[in-house]
Amino acid sequence: MHAFEGIGQDKLPETLDMSVVDEFQTVSDKDAFAMARRLTREEILTYTWIIVGLIGFIFFISQHLQLVLGESPMQAGLILLPGLVVTIVAGLAVVPLVRRVSPRSVVAGGLLISAGGYGAVLLGAAGESAAALMAAFVLLGLGIGAAE
């Protein structure tokens, strides 16, 4: 990785809103790159587990819908469709929210909502009801969309 000059007082972007800037701090390239590497590593680990959980949920729930509840592959896909749509909408809806609330709070809230979706399945939504599974997946999709 090569060091390069960052944004300094001589190179302020035109879009920078100075009313939200309290002060400028100088950080060495070495410290800045070390922090960037650490944050990237932490984010990749977090999002990897989120995606693995989502993919596992989709795989096992689609199998359950087909093999246990007797739904066709097309019906199983249509049952899961609302959850996927909610995931996309939630991901877009949190963008303006993150401007007013800290991203850490939004991600934590999204993960808690996702845990609710997993908990719903754990506590009985996986019974004999496709509607309950769809509702659990919508809850999971809402949380994951917000956290991503």
Side-chain angles (χ1 to χ4, degrees):
M1 191 178 289
H2 299 285
F4 56 91
E5 184 175 338
I7 296 174
Q9 292 182 358
D10 58 332
K11 292 185 179 182
L12 295 176
E14 295 175 14
T15 57
L16 177 63
D17 181 4
M18 291 300 292
S19 68
V20 298
V21 176
D22 292 328
E23 65 179 292
F24 285 96
Q25 293 186 0
T26 303
V27 178
S28 72
D29 286 341
K30 180 181 176 183
D31 290 340
F33 283 109
M35 178 59 78
R37 281 191 293 275
R38 191 189 112 221
L39 291 174
T40 302
R41 194 171 45 246
E42 290 173 3
E43 287 181 16
I44 288 173
L45 183 63
T46 300
Y47 292 125
T48 298
W49 283 113
I50 291 171
I51 296 302
V52 166
L54 176 64
I55 292 170
F57 189 91
I58 292 171
F59 175 75
F60 287 111
I61 294 302
S62 64
Q63 293 296 306
H64 183 84
L65 288 168
Q66 294 173 60
L67 301 174
V68 176
L69 300 182
E71 304 288 351
S72 71
M74 177 65 83
Q75 289 169 322
L78 291 173
I79 290 168
L80 295 176
L81 187 61
L84 297 172
V85 170
V86 167
T87 303
I88 294 167
V89 171
L92 296 172
V94 297
V95 173
L97 179 65
V98 170
R99 293 181 184 156
R100 293 185 303 261
V101 180
S102 85
R104 180 179 295 184
S105 299
V106 173
V107 171
L111 293 175
L112 284 173
I113 294 169
S114 297
Y118 288 119
V121 172
L122 179 68
L123 297 175
E128 298 299 320
S129 171
L133 288 172
M134 180 174 58
F137 188 54
V138 165
L139 192 59
L140 177 66
L142 177 66
I144 287 180
E148 291 292 319

